[in-house]
Amino acid sequence: MARTRKLTISTDAAGHTAGWASTEPASDTPVTPHPSTAAFFDVDNTMLRGASIYWLARGLAARNYFTTADLAQFAWRQARFRLLAAEHAGDLSRAREAALAFVAGWRVDDVERLSEEIFDELMAPRIWAGSRALAQTHLDAGQRVWLVSATPVEIGRVIAQRLGLTGALGTVAEVVDGAYTGRLVGDLMHGPAKAEAVAQLAAVEGLDLDTCSAYSDSVNDLPMLSTVGHPVAVNPDTALRRQARERGWQIRDFRTGRRAARIAVPSTVAAGFLVGAVSAGLAIRRRWASN
């Protein structure tokens, strides 16, 4: 029997929504929201060149929270996990157990502050202009635009805020007294979990999924793309490109040959906070605690 996940809708001590997080309106005169239509964008390699967690790790390394050697190990282990996950049909049970162990004890407000700084420094220049323009088209039409990513929801919210989007759906980390415990609430926002989260958000906000759009680069997001009436493959991997052609979906590719080659390494760490984060993350936590 299929297991149904419930997307938690609650707030922590700071008033942040768990499961998904809204942002403030992007302007003083927002377009009147469309009552039943929204767009959902994957983040890594869809909205952003490479993986958000990789660039966050790069920014932390630059701030001496851990070393470049830790960063290399972090990237290698995450790349290895992504390969294993694909081989085992997306089995993320081991990832779920270890996913956020390295942030245990970190303050949520510190992570969000650092995420804002690192977005401005490293992520903003790597936002795909084409994907950002697609999101703006939806906003201009009065539609809500949500990011949907395996990255922790707090980081997703920072990216959504910086881009002027409606909010983010992401992996939920347990928080006690304003600090991460290192455990997850529910499952990683990955694969079928994304589709379930989108469906639950649609039920809460009264969205008609047949009129909604979804954008992703990865075949792992087929469940989410299949949930909406207007799926679009953006910078697709080979498997998704094949599926999109077979199903008659739109394909938008904003890469060029040389640019696509340059982002190959960070793109391998696009699965979010995964098993490979733990050993590198222990070094991060030791350095964090010593500051």
Side-chain angles (χ1 to χ4, degrees), residues 199-282:
Q200 290 180 37
L201 179 61
V204 170
E205 298 216 334
L207 300 174
D208 177 3
L209 287 174
D210 286 340
T211 69
C212 291
S213 303
Y215 300 82
S216 178
D217 73 296
S218 174
V219 72
N220 290 326
D221 286 338
L222 274 179
M224 179 179 73
L225 293 168
S226 301
T227 297
V228 302
H230 304 286
V232 181
V234 176
N235 305 327
D237 59 28
T238 301
L240 180 58
R241 184 180 294 274
R242 184 187 314 114
Q243 288 287 331
R245 286 174 174 167
E246 291 176 357
R247 301 179 187 215
W249 293 351
Q250 289 188 45
I251 298 174
R252 307 294 294 271
D253 201 325
F254 303 118
R255 300 168 296 185
T256 63
R258 289 179 63 99
R259 172 177 283 180
R262 286 199 301 272
I263 67 168
V265 173
S267 73
T268 63
V269 295
F273 277 90
L274 302 177
V275 170
V278 177
S279 52
L282 293 176

Side-chain angles (χ1 to χ4, degrees), residues 62-275:
R63 289 162 172 76
N64 297 318
Y65 286 109
F66 62 109
T67 68
T68 53
D70 292 330
L71 178 63
Q73 185 181 46
F74 175 82
W76 181 84
R77 288 180 180 270
Q78 287 207 29
R80 179 175 178 272
F81 176 83
R82 192 180 190 195
L83 175 62
L84 291 174
E87 290 176 348
H88 295 282
D91 179 7
L92 299 179
S93 58
R94 290 177 57 201
R96 185 187 182 285
E97 295 300 320
L100 291 177
F102 82 90
V103 293
W106 290 31
R107 302 291 303 175
V108 175
D109 52 1
D110 287 333
V111 172
E112 291 187 332
R113 173 181 56 79
L114 288 166
S115 296
E116 290 174 351
E117 294 177 4
I118 293 168
F119 176 87
D120 293 340
E121 293 172 8
L122 297 177
M123 299 185 201
R126 293 174 171 87
I127 295 295
W128 291 109
S131 295
R132 182 66 189 87
L134 289 172
Q136 190 61 49
T137 297
H138 288 284
L139 292 172
D140 291 344
Q143 299 175 20
R144 286 158 283 186
V145 177
W146 294 83
L147 298 179
V148 188
S149 177
T151 197
V153 68
E154 293 84 2
I155 298 174
R157 177 173 53 237
V158 167
I159 297 173
Q161 286 173 333
R162 285 299 202 256
L163 297 180
L165 308 181
T166 307
L169 293 84
T171 297
V172 181
E174 184 180 67
V175 175
V176 175
D177 296 328
Y180 294 109
T181 67
R183 295 184 293 271
L184 292 180
V185 177
D187 292 330
L188 287 166
M189 190 68 70
H190 178 82
K194 286 188 178 183
E196 293 173 13
V198 166
Q200 290 180 37
L201 179 61
V204 170
E205 298 216 334
L207 300 174
D208 177 3
L209 287 174
D210 286 340
T211 69
C212 291
S213 303
Y215 300 82
S216 178
D217 73 296
S218 174
V219 72
N220 290 326
D221 286 338
L222 274 179
M224 179 179 73
L225 293 168
S226 301
T227 297
V228 302
H230 304 286
V232 181
V234 176
N235 305 327
D237 59 28
T238 301
L240 180 58
R241 184 180 294 274
R242 184 187 314 114
Q243 288 287 331
R245 286 174 174 167
E246 291 176 357
R247 301 179 187 215
W249 293 351
Q250 289 188 45
I251 298 174
R252 307 294 294 271
D253 201 325
F254 303 118
R255 300 168 296 185
T256 63
R258 289 179 63 99
R259 172 177 283 180
R262 286 199 301 272
I263 67 168
V265 173
S267 73
T268 63
V269 295
F273 277 90
L274 302 177
V275 170

Side-chain angles (χ1 to χ4, degrees), residues 54-66:
Y54 175 84
W55 298 118
L56 179 66
R58 279 276 300 271
L60 290 172
R63 289 162 172 76
N64 297 318
Y65 286 109
F66 62 109

